[in-house]
Amino acid sequence: MLGSSSGLLPAPPLLPSVAKNSKWAIRYKRCTAKEKPVRLPSGGSKKLLCHSRFCFPLRISNNDRVRHGFAISAVLTDDPTMTTVGDGMENIGLVSIDPGLESFKDHFRYRMKRYVDQKKLIERYEGGLEEFALGYQKFGFNRDEGGIVYREWAPAAQEAQIIGDFNGWDGSNHRMEKNEFGVWSIKIPDSGGNPAIPHNSRVKFRFMQGNGVWVDRIPAWIKYATVDPASFGAPYDGVYWDPPTSERYEFKFPQPPKPNAPRIYEAHVGMSSSEPRVNSYREFADNVLPRIRANNYNTVQLMAVIEHSYYASFGYHVTNFFAVSSRSGNPEDLKYLIDKAHSLGLRVLMDVVHSHASNNVTDGLNGFDIGQGAQESYFHTGDRGYHNLWDSRLFNYANWEVLRFLLSNLRWWLEEFKFDGFRFDGVTSMLYHHHGINMAFTGDYNEYFSEATDVDAVVYLMLANYLIHNILPDATVIAEDVSGMPGLGCPVSEGGVGFDYRLAMAIPDKWIDYLKNKSDLEWSMNEISRSLTNRRYTEKCVAYAESHDQSIVGDKTIAFILMDKEMYSGMSCLTEAPPAVDRGIALHKMIHFITMALGGEGYLNFMGNEFGHPEWIDFPREGNGWSYEMCRRQWNLADMEHLRYKFMNAFDRAMNLLDEKYSFLASTKQIVSSTNEEDKVIVFERGDLVFVFNFHPEKTYDGYKVGCDLPGKYRVALDSDALEFGGHGRVGHDADHFTSPEGIPGVPETNFNNRPNSFKVLSPARTCVVYYRVEESEESHDDDDEMGLNEILAADVIPEQEDVEEAASQAKVGKPHLVDGDGDGSGLSKTVDFEVEDMGDDASDD
């Protein structure tokens, strides 16, 4: 077989193995292995159906009877590149895009065959992938005529009962029955016309192990779980959640359309309060979402939404996969948050963790593992089922019921809560049997396609992406992968894994290395440019200078590395900025902006980093006395008019607005024309904008010649040195820059830096300036209308209520409304203001 991956079909001959002796190691939630994507070279029965170690139960209807006899639908009916299925699978689109993958065609044929066959089996026995992913309508608690039906897959259990508040925690009168597929079920009739299990009451699944010992577990498909906050270390309880219509939140706003490029605000609801406590979904919706919209992000990525018993795990040790984190509220509260985001034109992505599960036995899915074989468990057995560095359990992606559980989990969050997509965590761990541990990824294709590849997990991810995009065609799905596996961001129909984007995880490590280990004059313009542009053709990346990883205790944010202790004493605008602060603010703006402009097709920022939030993140734990002091966001720093944090916040808002107007992130035109090591200047074009970054700590260049594509007149679109952004105001915004032709048209070697035109600019030290070309049709416009974004005010981060209500009444979902706050008609040189539309009576419910 291919590695230790189990499958339905014989594997091709083994491919070359990877080296095992690397010094690198992946740590929990912080990977030291570097992402080095490679550039392209030029050029029916009622019995259990079993095969090997897999058991495939037939479709289970709501009355627990096996059904079959439905038609098999076509496989890959939307696939333009694959004309046949099986041994004749020659037209793999991914290979035609990258000829360097030709020698790995056997691997792609094998995994596509595995994917197609798995999909066919699901269609044959479950009615299709989408039907299969409705497991939450069959398992767990569901209303049926005259009662509540509860089902649980626990084949290793000898006996089972349902217990809870409703029966005094005595399950002797509520014993469950087991079918041939290991599914326990019971129907609990209504009592007096009311459900026997009251809404919001506690429940647990009690079962007897093989040794005769009874244990209580939270139901695997539970939709809500809570813990007694007054009792330290108390176990969680499952909660039956079925609110009456009057208490059920109803969505009021449509999901915003998919943007040309995602500008993502990564957020953690619990730590979003300015006070040292856990914040709520509703408080986040009312207080934080308007900030995000005001800074011109179009997408919110929510961390730690799925229930996790250990708060300090940052949400990555999931215990209850279908339950919202109860620390911040109940399921209806989360729906309110998402609907409010949609009313502002913000899409919402979930940080979903299907790479592993908490090893917590009492509260989590691991409690169903009582030593049974892999085919009767959610997890692999032995070492393969345990992640040594994360101290967590690893799923058996080849198991039929695991596939049902995980795929249904995705559909649940999409349909019940209206999420707009996912960021899949820990994908590197899923893709390889070694999980990336002690593995240095160099870009050698043998590292990606060998017996080390976990084909079971790859097939699951292919099924997941196919399902997500079928249910929600506008979904955005992002992979957190540090390895750079080719094809991860290509469609399933082309032989890829199907993600829309991958995170460009090497970029923040490069910045941290420069900031900690190099003086300013040692920074290499070539190396910075290569690091930002080193990504695979046709596979989109989300770039970021820092995320939550760089803020975790033991590390520092970029702002804190740059300014350190000066952030406590040198941030007042009432005194002259210390040199460390002047340098820090300038480089903070430049690092984030060049990462956005050159690093990918999307951009991500973690909550608070947009204004240079000081210090670090440290969740309450025994080591800090269970303090929340470092587990919050000090929004007041950005709001205070006399503090310099406002300058970084204003620039963040402006660079997002620049993309809103010019859509440079979505442009495929990206040309780096100059990386001058002596001058410390990088010049590049993205779309039709020209970017000039001067990283030199001292030198200002007057009449600096920059190349461009199109001839004409250019003006400043964005200037990091503007006074509004804490700069020194050295660049004039009223100047016109006219181009001069360079060399022979159509002969790049005769041009200036291979560009057919050029113009001259003033480039001060430690600044970045963007220039846009004035269209002929705009020549007659007033100069103020043409100036673009430079006078976006740093104040008014959160607009007044009456202003935002007016803005919201004029704004369409997903489109910004440019508010002319001064009434002077100057258009873009204003703040983009949004406010939540009337959310009805729910808006006042806490």
Side-chain angles (χ1 to χ4, degrees):
M1 304 301 292
L2 187 61
S4 57
S5 173
S6 301
L8 295 172
L9 304 171
L14 292 179
L15 299 174
S17 62
V18 299
K20 310 284 186 186
N21 301 319
S22 170
K23 297 179 182 178
W24 294 88
I26 288 184
R27 298 176 296 173
Y28 175 63
K29 293 312 303 154
R30 181 78 192 275
C31 297
T32 54
K34 304 295 184 182
E35 178 189 57
K36 294 188 178 180
V38 178
R39 292 182 183 276
L40 289 176
S42 55
S45 169
K46 289 190 178 181
K47 296 181 180 179
L48 196 66
L49 174 66
C50 292
H51 187 287
S52 182
R53 295 191 295 111
F54 302 99
C55 294
F56 303 94
L58 303 183
R59 185 181 182 190
I60 302 173
S61 68
N62 282 336
N63 58 11
D64 206 21
R65 292 182 300 188
V66 175
R67 297 193 295 172
H68 58 93
F70 40 82
I72 298 176
S73 60
V75 177
L76 294 175
T77 53
D78 62 337
D79 186 349
T81 63
M82 299 196 59
T83 57
T84 59
V85 173
D87 294 335
M89 197 179 296
E90 297 293 334
N91 299 322
I92 299 175
L94 183 59
V95 176
S96 65
I97 293 172
D98 182 358
L101 295 172
E102 180 69 29
S103 59
F104 300 94
K105 284 185 71 172
D106 283 347
H107 175 93
F108 288 106
R109 288 195 191 101
Y110 173 73
R111 82 181 191 189
M112 284 301 296
K113 182 69 171 172
R114 284 281 310 280
Y115 163 77
V116 170
D117 280 6
Q118 185 70 72
K119 194 162 175 288
K120 275 186 173 181
L121 282 169
I122 291 172
E123 289 173 347
R124 179 180 179 185
Y125 293 104
E126 299 283 354
L129 197 61
E130 292 186 37
E131 180 72 15
F132 186 51
L134 286 171
Y136 53 84
Q137 294 183 357
K138 303 178 178 70
F139 288 85
F141 295 90
N142 287 283
R143 288 290 298 165
D144 198 7
E145 185 177 354
I148 297 172
V149 174
Y150 170 58
R151 293 191 184 90
E152 197 73 70
W153 180 65
Q158 304 304 303
E159 296 183 41
Q161 305 170 354
I162 177 66
I163 59 173
D165 291 329
F166 76 100
N167 61 9
W169 301 93
D170 180 0
S172 58
N173 293 325
H174 294 93
R175 299 181 182 274
M176 303 176 70
E177 296 182 354
K178 181 181 180 182
N179 69 9
E180 64 267 42
F181 308 121
V183 177
W184 295 87
S185 64
I186 185 174
K187 181 173 182 179
I188 307 171
D190 291 343
S191 176
N194 297 313
I197 306 178
H199 161 63
N200 206 19
S201 64
R202 297 175 298 168
V203 290
K204 280 195 173 181
F205 177 60
R206 174 173 288 172
F207 66 92
M208 187 175 71
Q209 303 177 90
N211 59 6
V213 176
W214 287 83
V215 293
D216 298 346
R217 299 290 183 254
I218 295 178
W221 299 72
I222 201 70
K223 298 178 176 69
Y224 192 42
T226 60
V227 66
D228 181 2
S231 180
F232 182 80
Y236 274 67
D237 291 303
V239 173
Y240 176 66
W241 192 260
D242 186 24
T245 303
S246 60
E247 298 177 19
R248 192 181 300 271
Y249 187 84
E250 297 294 335
F251 288 93
K252 302 175 179 64
F253 297 94
Q255 293 176 252
K258 189 173 185 175
N260 292 327
R263 300 188 298 274
I264 302 170
Y265 195 88
E266 184 184 38
H268 186 289
V269 172
M271 60 166 288
S272 65
S273 173
S274 60
E275 301 171 3
R277 61 177 175 83
V278 178
N279 210 17
S280 73
Y281 297 122
R282 288 180 178 266
E283 289 172 311
F284 181 90
D286 294 340
N287 301 326
V288 181
L289 285 179
R291 291 180 177 273
I292 299 171
R293 182 63 268 188
N295 272 41
N296 301 307
Y297 290 91
N298 56 29
T299 305
V300 181
Q301 180 178 297
L302 293 181
M303 305 173 60
V305 168
I306 309 177
E307 188 60 85
H308 50 291
S309 61
Y310 184 44
Y311 190 41
S313 74
F314 231 132
Y316 291 111
H317 279 204
V318 172
T319 44
N320 312 109
F321 283 79
F322 287 82
V324 307
S325 178
S326 57
R327 292 180 184 85
S328 295
N330 62 47
E332 312 313 306
D333 296 330
L334 178 59
K335 292 175 184 177
Y336 171 85
L337 184 162
I338 294 171
D339 200 28
K340 198 154 192 177
H342 289 165
S343 77
L344 293 172
L346 291 167
R347 286 162 62 87
V348 186
L349 307 183
M350 168 184 275
D351 198 346
V352 70
V353 186
H354 283 183
S355 51
H356 62 128
S358 170
N359 69 355
N360 185 321
V361 171
T362 304
D363 302 325
L365 202 59
N366 195 29
F368 287 82
D369 190 337
I370 54 176
Q372 68 269 37
Q375 70 183 37
E376 296 184 335
S377 173
Y378 287 99
F379 309 108
H380 285 294
T381 58
D383 291 342
R384 192 179 177 192
Y386 182 76
H387 198 295
N388 291 317
L389 297 185
W390 294 351
D391 189 25
S392 57
R393 297 304 309 274
L394 299 174
F395 287 107
N396 177 7
Y397 300 105
N399 187 294
W400 190 269
E401 290 304 326
V402 173
L403 287 177
R404 187 200 306 275
F405 183 83
L406 295 177
L407 292 171
S408 297
N409 190 237
L410 298 173
R411 184 164 190 177
W412 166 254
W413 294 112
L414 287 176
E415 298 205 331
E416 182 70 15
F417 291 88
K418 306 298 182 186
F419 277 97
D420 302 289
F422 301 98
R423 178 262 202 189
F424 274 72
D425 177 72
V427 170
T428 304
S429 178
M430 300 174 69
L431 295 175
Y432 311 101
H433 293 300
H434 53 63
H435 310 300
I437 300 173
N438 295 325
M439 180 67 199
F441 291 99
T442 66
D444 185 337
Y445 283 4
N446 290 289
E447 296 168 352
Y448 307 118
F449 312 115
S450 72
E451 80 275 11
T453 308
D454 190 338
V455 177
D456 294 339
V458 173
V459 169
Y460 163 67
L461 291 172
M462 294 167 73
L463 291 168
N465 278 303
Y466 180 90
L467 172 73
I468 292 167
H469 290 102
N470 264 24
I471 293 173
L472 184 65
D474 268 358
T476 298
V477 192
I478 303 168
E480 186 212 33
D481 170 43
V482 74
S483 75
M485 174 184 274
L488 192 68
C490 287
V492 172
S493 60
E494 295 179 2
V497 183
F499 287 99
D500 298 304
Y501 297 87
R502 70 189 331 142
L503 288 179
M505 300 184 69
I507 294 175
D509 286 342
K510 176 59 66 178
W511 288 124
I512 296 300
D513 175 50
Y514 267 44
L515 291 170
K516 289 184 176 181
N517 303 316
K518 296 180 184 293
S519 69
D520 291 3
L521 288 175
E522 291 177 319
W523 288 24
S524 167
M525 302 300 101
N526 281 304
E527 191 173 53
I528 290 173
S529 175
R530 285 198 306 269
S531 297
L532 292 172
T533 58
N534 186 21
R535 54 189 185 272
R536 290 183 59 80
Y537 176 64
T538 76
E539 297 191 42
K540 296 179 180 179
C541 287
V542 172
Y544 60 103
E546 53 186 338
S547 70
H548 66 272
D549 281 335
Q550 285 70 45
S551 303
I552 296 176
V553 63
D555 212 334
K556 295 181 178 180
T557 63
I558 287 177
F560 208 42
I561 294 174
L562 286 167
M563 294 176 275
D564 203 42
K565 63 182 181 180
E566 293 290 351
M567 298 195 79
Y568 298 106
S569 59
M571 298 300 284
S572 173
C573 298
L574 304 179
T575 60
E576 185 177 351
V581 170
D582 191 58
R583 169 183 179 267
I585 292 177
L587 288 179
H588 187 275
K589 292 180 291 186
M590 295 180 71
I591 288 170
H592 285 82
F593 191 33
I594 196 171
T595 299
M596 178 192 200
L598 202 55
E601 291 73 30
Y603 177 70
L604 178 143
N605 169 72
F606 178 66
M607 180 175 65
N609 288 347
E610 69 275 12
F611 63 85
H613 198 288
E615 301 175 323
W616 55 88
I617 297 169
D618 191 7
F619 280 82
R621 54 187 174 84
E622 186 176 4
N624 65 13
W626 303 102
S627 170
Y628 286 83
E629 187 61 32
M630 295 295 184
C631 194
R632 61 191 181 107
R633 296 285 86 177
Q634 300 181 56
W635 304 109
N636 60 300
L637 296 177
D639 296 345
M640 291 183 180
E641 185 63 25
H642 70 282
L643 294 182
R644 290 188 167 90
Y645 295 96
K646 68 179 183 179
F647 296 135
M648 291 177 280
N649 190 63
F651 188 73
D652 178 79
R653 186 191 316 165
M655 68 187 205
N656 281 322
L657 185 56
L658 184 74
D659 181 62
E660 183 75 23
K661 176 171 174 58
Y662 293 102
S663 297
F664 62 86
L665 274 173
S667 175
T668 58
K669 179 183 177 182
Q670 178 174 290
I671 300 169
V672 178
S673 60
S674 177
T675 53
N676 192 304
E677 297 291 4
E678 182 178 352
D679 296 344
K680 297 299 177 188
V681 173
I682 300 175
V683 180
F684 63 91
E685 295 161 65
R686 191 75 189 267
D688 290 330
L689 297 176
V690 179
F691 296 75
V692 182
F693 282 77
N694 180 356
F695 281 95
H696 202 287
E698 299 172 351
K699 291 185 178 180
T700 292
Y701 306 105
D702 193 3
Y704 197 80
K705 192 174 181 180
V706 299
C708 64
D709 181 16
L710 301 175
K713 181 172 69 175
Y714 285 79
R715 289 178 179 168
V716 172
L718 182 60
D719 169 22
S720 71
D721 197 47
L723 297 174
E724 292 82 4
F725 306 135
H728 299 282
R730 291 167 287 186
V731 177
H733 299 162
D734 56 353
D736 292 332
H737 303 268
F738 293 93
T739 61
S740 300
E742 295 287 345
I744 303 171
V747 186
E749 57 269 25
T750 67
N751 299 157
F752 175 72
N753 290 336
N754 292 322
R755 308 310 292 145
N757 295 281
S758 70
F759 59 93
K760 293 182 178 181
V761 301
L762 173 67
S763 180
R766 290 196 183 122
T767 64
C768 49
V769 183
V770 186
Y771 298 87
Y772 74 100
R773 181 174 174 269
V774 180
E775 299 291 341
E776 291 184 6
S777 59
E778 299 174 343
E779 290 288 350
S780 60
H781 291 186
D782 184 84
D783 283 352
D784 287 340
D785 290 329
E786 302 298 340
M787 283 185 57
L789 309 165
N790 295 292
E791 281 104 28
I792 292 178
L793 301 179
D796 300 328
V797 174
I798 303 300
E800 295 295 330
Q801 182 70 23
E802 56 268 26
D803 294 336
V804 269
E805 286 179 355
E806 180 183 356
S809 69
Q810 299 179 50
K812 295 182 179 179
V813 171
K815 298 294 183 182
H817 173 67
L818 298 173
V819 178
D820 186 1
D822 295 338
D824 62 359
S826 57
L828 278 177
S829 54
K830 301 297 163 193
T831 304
V832 176
D833 288 341
F834 274 86
E835 172 57 9
V836 182
E837 298 182 45
D838 183 12
M839 305 295 285
D841 294 336
D842 295 285
S844 61
D845 296 338
D846 288 326

